[in-house]
Amino acid sequence: MAAMNAAALAEENRTLKATLAQREARIERLEFDLAQLKKLLFGARSERLATLPDIDQLPLWDEVPEDAPVASPVAFKTVVVQSPAKNQPKRTALPAHLPREIVVLPLSAQDRQCPACGEERPVIGYESSERLDYVPAQLKVVETRREKCACAKCQGQLTTVPAPPQIIEQGIPLPGLLAHLLMAKYGYHLPLYRIEQIFAHQGVPIARTTLCDWVIQSGWQLQPLVERMLALLKQQPVIFSDDTTVAVQDRGKTRETRFWVYAGHSPPIVVYDHTETRAGKHPKAKLEGYSGYLQADAYAGYDQIFAAGKVLEVACWAHARRKFFEIARQTENGKRISAHEALEYIGRLYAIEREAKEQQLDAEGTRKLRQEQARPILAEFKAWLEDRLRQLAPKTPTAQAIGYALKNWPALERYTEDGRLEIDNNRSERAIRPLTIGRKNWLFLGSPKGGQVAATVFSLIQTCKELGINPEAYLKDVLNRLPSTKQKDIDSLLPHNCKLPGA
């Protein structure tokens, strides 16, 4: 009887311990989610761990119990602030290409007179200083007069200079105005109603519907350039990809759609795509026929691309690091200290990348450095992750972060195979950032077809930025040449081939 009672108590004890472990894991998960929500609402977005003072500081959002002990005064360290150096850096010279207006301030007749002998003193030089002014942009009317002639003897023999082709036939905007409109909307993220107001303040009221029509027509005309850019991008050995949401107004309602970005670096090419959903069929169709490396996050929609084996997956260490960072920033002690250890491992991997950049190694040199230094760290890190995972409850945040890394491990370590690969997917994340900034201003796209137009213009503007080209000057040049350019010469209009006037 006693043995049966002991066995029942032991079983009950095991059950209670298992229940307690589950509840502790659930509490840890809920605390982590709550901290994430607070960070989303009130916190900074930087992925940098601050060094906290070694004091018993109460949580900001927790209630302070009445019997809480009063913290002892904090001993702050004295920080010596050095005074600015005497040799302060001089002001940078203003660019030489800017137009200059010279204003001469003459001396008065009294100042020209020598106080000693009374003779008039000649001017021997100037004390010069340069300051910057702004001349507001202005609209202007360009009247084109085409000569025509007729024979006085032969009635009806009339000849006229043919009208030059335009992006918008029989429309009033010239390439300069269209380029400015596209850059204002997609480069500086100004909604059309603000652009309408700007033109109205200059005394030229242009209806918003007209501006929208100009944008749409220009975008459709530029589409062949982006299609060619995608074809050239698919010839590169490495493509970086990412996606983000964007709202689209359709039949009076807004719904969520997606923007995708595909980027390469030899030469720099950035191509955007707009789709109705996030289904994997969209990137698969966009990269049809591609063979090489695709670096992206671990979104399952890319699996259709990797299934055939022609495209190799390269995962992003920034994504893996971010999961540990979000845990580490919540607390500096306790069970989550594992996240700090993981961040130290990842930091050692990034230190090798910095060394490669500092030494300006080529692709082969970078590959050798990674094989010699990164591979041992990766092997050690993987063993550490596997060992630590066995010690954690399955649904805790740290266990989930470790599970993410181990699940994608082959793709995470693939960057060491080729020096042309990068340790993370930050290249495409930087390319997607202008879209996230833009949607804060214009909130949503006006129509589904406007989404692809936006993708087209974004592609050209962002590629110009990657190449260090003035996007507006490029768009003006291309919109001026495009109507008379044959399809076989379309490559001459691409950003990396385009020769801007005066360049």
Side-chain angles (χ1 to χ4, degrees):
M1 188 69 178
M4 293 179 60
N5 290 336
L9 290 174
E11 180 62 28
E12 182 180 1
N13 188 34
R14 284 194 296 269
T15 303
L16 290 175
K17 285 184 177 180
T19 303
L20 180 61
Q22 291 177 359
R23 290 183 177 180
E24 286 181 347
R26 177 174 173 79
I27 290 172
E28 185 177 351
R29 178 76 233 181
L30 292 175
E31 288 178 346
F32 176 72
D33 291 342
L34 180 60
Q36 288 292 91
L37 290 174
K38 290 178 180 178
K39 172 180 174 290
L40 183 64
L41 290 174
F42 311 109
R45 303 299 176 89
S46 173
E47 293 185 12
R48 185 183 299 273
L49 290 175
T51 302
L52 301 179
D54 189 15
I55 60 173
D56 295 329
Q57 181 176 348
L58 292 174
L60 177 62
W61 297 101
D62 289 354
E63 295 183 359
V64 181
E66 295 181 357
D67 58 347
V70 179
S72 59
V74 180
F76 292 95
K77 294 182 179 179
T78 303
V79 179
V80 179
V81 180
Q82 296 181 352
S83 59
K86 293 183 178 180
N87 297 327
Q88 291 285 357
K90 296 182 179 180
R91 181 185 300 170
T92 304
L94 297 176
H97 69 273
L98 295 177
R100 276 166 165 72
E101 175 184 345
I102 298 177
V103 178
V104 178
L105 302 180
L107 290 166
S108 64
Q110 181 180 357
D111 291 333
R112 282 177 176 265
Q113 187 176 8
C114 179
C117 65
E119 295 291 329
E120 181 177 354
R121 294 177 294 182
V123 176
I124 60 173
Y126 298 93
E127 288 288 336
S128 298
S129 62
E130 291 189 338
R131 292 177 174 83
L132 200 60
D133 200 1
Y134 177 74
V135 179
Q138 63 180 9
L139 296 166
K140 69 176 182 179
V141 177
V142 177
E143 180 183 356
T144 302
R145 297 184 177 182
R146 295 180 290 129
E147 287 187 346
K148 59 181 180 180
C149 59
C151 182
K153 296 182 179 179
C154 306
Q155 297 295 327
Q157 296 297 321
L158 182 66
T159 302
T160 306
V161 176
Q166 299 292 332
I167 288 292
I168 301 178
E169 293 293 344
Q170 300 181 354
I172 64 172
L174 286 173
L177 177 57
L178 293 175
H180 176 72
L181 175 61
L182 295 177
M183 190 62 190
K185 180 172 174 58
Y186 298 110
Y188 303 125
H189 315 296
L190 295 180
L192 285 180
Y193 81 89
R194 294 184 191 170
I195 301 175
E196 179 186 20
Q197 292 174 348
I198 292 173
F199 287 156
H201 292 163
Q202 297 185 18
V204 185
I206 303 176
R208 198 181 316 171
T209 54
T210 301
L211 296 176
C212 182
D213 185 57
W214 290 353
V215 169
I216 294 293
Q217 292 191 53
S218 300
W220 287 126
Q221 295 283 354
L222 293 169
Q223 182 62 30
L225 276 68
V226 179
E227 292 175 354
R228 179 58 181 159
M229 287 166 56
L230 178 62
L232 294 176
L233 179 62
K234 289 159 68 172
Q235 297 176 13
Q236 295 192 15
V238 187
I239 293 179
F240 304 82
S241 182
D242 199 1
D243 69 288
T244 190
T245 59
V246 61
V248 170
Q249 192 175 51
D250 189 13
R251 300 181 182 91
K253 298 181 179 180
T254 57
R255 54 187 174 83
E256 185 179 275
T257 58
R258 308 297 297 193
F259 262 125
W260 305 77
V261 63
Y262 306 94
H265 54 64
S266 55
I269 294 177
V270 182
V271 174
Y272 296 88
D273 187 31
H274 177 254
T275 63
E276 296 292 322
T277 66
R278 203 192 182 195
K281 64 181 181 180
H282 300 302
K284 180 182 179 183
K286 205 68 176 178
L287 298 179
E288 185 69 31
Y290 174 65
S291 177
Y293 293 100
L294 176 62
Q295 188 149 17
D297 56 24
Y299 170 50
Y302 292 109
D303 292 347
Q304 299 181 35
I305 302 175
F306 305 131
K310 294 183 178 180
V311 180
L312 298 178
E313 179 183 9
V314 185
C316 173
W317 271 107
H319 280 78
R321 180 190 183 278
R322 192 168 300 142
K323 294 183 180 296
F324 290 108
F325 170 82
E326 295 297 342
I327 301 168
R329 73 184 305 274
Q330 306 303 337
T331 182
E332 296 291 320
N333 50 34
K335 296 180 181 179
R336 298 176 190 172
I337 199 67
S338 299
H340 291 269
E341 297 179 44
L343 291 177
E344 291 178 3
Y345 275 108
I346 299 173
R348 291 163 61 187
L349 296 176
Y350 273 89
I352 296 171
E353 299 304 303
R354 288 193 295 271
E355 181 181 348
K357 289 183 179 180
E358 291 171 359
Q359 295 183 15
Q360 299 181 348
L361 300 179
D362 58 9
E364 180 58 22
T366 301
R367 186 193 68 82
K368 289 182 178 179
L369 182 66
R370 290 171 176 171
Q371 291 289 323
E372 294 172 0
Q373 299 187 20
R375 295 291 296 185
I377 297 175
L378 287 167
E380 180 184 347
F381 188 23
K382 184 181 180 183
W384 180 89
L385 290 171
E386 292 171 340
D387 178 66
R388 193 53 54 94
L389 184 62
R390 287 190 289 268
Q391 305 173 24
L392 298 172
K395 293 186 179 180
T396 58
T398 305
Q400 292 182 342
I402 292 176
Y404 173 89
L406 292 176
K407 178 182 177 182
N408 299 283
W409 193 260
L412 281 171
E413 64 178 1
R414 182 159 285 134
Y415 81 99
T416 61
E417 298 176 1
D418 194 316
R420 297 170 297 183
L421 300 176
E422 298 181 9
I423 191 172
D424 53 40
N425 197 33
N426 287 350
R427 181 179 294 272
S428 62
E429 289 196 358
R430 288 193 299 268
I432 211 75
R433 190 171 296 124
L435 299 181
T436 61
I437 295 173
R439 70 188 177 199
K440 293 181 181 178
N441 291 329
W442 34 259
L443 300 180
F444 54 83
L445 297 170
S447 65
K449 73 175 182 179
Q452 195 55 48
V453 170
T456 296
V457 183
F458 274 131
S459 300
L460 296 171
I461 290 177
Q462 191 62 29
T463 300
C464 285
K465 290 181 179 180
E466 292 287 331
L467 292 165
I469 298 174
N470 184 331
E472 186 170 341
Y474 165 79
L475 288 172
K476 179 179 179 180
D477 180 60
V478 166
L479 290 171
N480 186 50
R481 297 163 53 200
L482 181 59
S484 58
T485 301
K486 297 180 180 179
Q487 180 64 33
K488 65 182 181 67
D489 298 325
I490 199 74
D491 281 12
S492 65
L493 300 180
L494 300 182
H496 59 276
N497 291 329
C498 190
K499 302 295 183 182
L500 295 177

